[in-house]
Amino acid sequence: MKEKQVQPLRELCLQIANSTESIIKTVRQFCSFLRWSLHSLSNVLFHPKKIRWNLVTFYMDSCGSDATPIISMLGFLIGVILAFQAIVQLGRFGVQSYVVNLVGTVIVTELAPLVTAVVLAGRTGSSFAAELSSMKNDDEIDALITMGIDPGEYLLLPKFFAMILVLPCLTIISDICGIAGGMAIVCSMLQVSISEYISKCLEVIHVIDLTQGLVKSCFFGFIVSSIGCMKGYYSERDTHGVGKSTTSAVVSAIFLIVVTDAVLTAIFGLISQI
């Protein structure tokens, strides 16, 4: 009887130990990967001609243009849902006039950057991980090193630059679509004119709100690209390596996005109180 009770406890301890070891390994890989990436970035900054803008524009097109429809649709639907729930909840207290304040500020500062980053983590981060993992399995990365080409400059930096440039632009599109979705509900349910809604939005959305959303999107773009590239570069050389790296890239990126969002929100909250 005692052996049966000890067995689950032993398995639990082993799972905790394995999870801790995996986390420590991931942190070490990220630090090593970040150091390597910063070294490649410093070389590029001192020699701007090494930046392969054709690859940057290629990834900007594949990450940005192709993702615009889904980002626009999600932004619009989020605005619709948020406005409808705000009308219902605020209507209980008779303060429906603050619906526009809630919709405008929440979408610009929180929902648009967060949803856009999560979508790109699942769409683009996994693509980066799968691409580098496949190249590693086919020894293409080793071939680049043999030819004297720095993989960091050729494979990583174009993805970094593309994501950091694209994600703020997609966030702005999501902002516009989200506000438009809120306008559709507010104008139809509260009998507010479009001009009144737009003027109210311009009144309640301040520069600090837009800055907060764009700064977050830049951080999110770095997280999505770096985690996707890291998981692909350090993937296992077997048949399951691609699948494991893509899954791990999405999960890790979403987790770090949420944590970073919480930290940046707290920082901007402290700044606004000063």
Side-chain angles (χ1 to χ4, degrees):
M1 190 67 179
K2 291 182 178 180
E3 293 181 359
K4 293 182 179 180
Q5 293 177 352
V6 172
Q7 189 67 22
L9 180 61
R10 183 181 301 170
E11 293 179 356
L12 177 62
C13 293
L14 289 175
Q15 290 178 359
I16 294 175
N18 291 333
S19 299
T20 304
E21 182 182 4
S22 177
I23 292 173
I24 294 174
K25 180 181 178 181
T26 302
V27 172
R28 288 179 177 176
Q29 286 180 347
F30 184 76
C31 292
S32 176
F33 180 82
L34 186 62
R35 184 173 63 252
W36 176 42
S37 301
L38 291 176
H39 177 71
S40 299
L41 179 61
S42 63
N43 290 336
V44 168
L45 292 179
F46 285 108
H47 304 87
K49 293 183 179 180
K50 290 186 177 181
I51 301 177
R52 292 173 169 82
W53 291 109
N54 57 337
L55 292 178
V56 175
T57 54
F58 169 77
Y59 287 116
M60 288 180 65
D61 179 62
S62 61
C63 301
S65 302
D66 295 343
T68 301
I70 184 65
I71 293 297
S72 302
M73 183 182 68
L74 286 177
F76 183 84
L77 293 177
I78 288 172
V80 169
I81 295 170
L82 182 61
F84 182 79
Q85 291 295 333
I87 290 173
V88 173
Q89 299 301 325
L90 295 180
R92 298 178 180 179
F93 304 97
V95 287
Q96 292 179 335
S97 58
Y98 290 96
V99 171
V100 180
N101 301 54
L102 179 64
V103 172
T105 54
V106 171
I107 287 179
V108 170
T109 59
E110 293 294 337
L111 291 181
L114 187 61
V115 172
T116 303
V118 170
V119 171
L120 289 186
R123 185 183 182 279
T124 305
S126 60
S127 175
F128 288 169
E131 177 185 343
L132 292 180
S133 179
S134 299
M135 293 182 67
K136 184 177 182 180
N137 290 337
D138 295 337
D139 296 328
E140 295 180 20
I141 296 179
D142 295 335
L144 290 176
I145 297 175
T146 303
M147 291 186 295
I149 299 175
D150 184 5
E153 297 178 4
Y154 187 79
L155 298 176
L156 306 183
L157 294 185
K159 295 179 176 62
F160 290 166
F161 292 147
M163 284 300 299
I164 293 175
L165 293 173
V166 161
L167 213 149
C169 297
L170 291 177
T171 299
I172 293 174
I173 294 174
S174 183
D175 290 337
I176 296 173
C177 294
I179 293 174
M183 180 179 66
I185 297 299
V186 172
C187 293
S188 60
M189 295 184 65
L190 298 182
Q191 305 301 322
V192 177
S193 65
I194 296 177
S195 60
E196 291 176 348
Y197 180 87
I198 295 176
S199 62
K200 185 66 174 179
C201 285
L202 295 176
E203 179 182 347
V204 300
I205 299 176
H206 303 290
V207 176
I208 187 64
D209 299 326
L210 292 172
T211 303
Q212 180 177 346
L214 295 178
V215 169
K216 286 181 178 180
S217 63
C218 291
F219 277 93
F220 296 161
F222 173 76
I223 290 173
V224 171
S225 58
S226 61
I227 294 297
C229 293
M230 184 195 74
K231 292 297 182 180
Y233 187 80
Y234 290 110
S235 64
E236 301 175 0
R237 293 177 181 268
D238 54 24
T239 56
H240 302 289
V242 177
K244 289 180 181 179
S245 63
T246 53
T247 302
S248 180
V250 174
V251 174
S252 301
I254 292 176
F255 174 77
L256 289 178
I257 286 169
V258 174
V259 172
T260 305
D261 181 65
V263 173
L264 292 177
T265 299
I267 293 174
F268 275 98
L270 294 175
I271 294 175
S272 62
Q273 293 177 359
I274 298 176

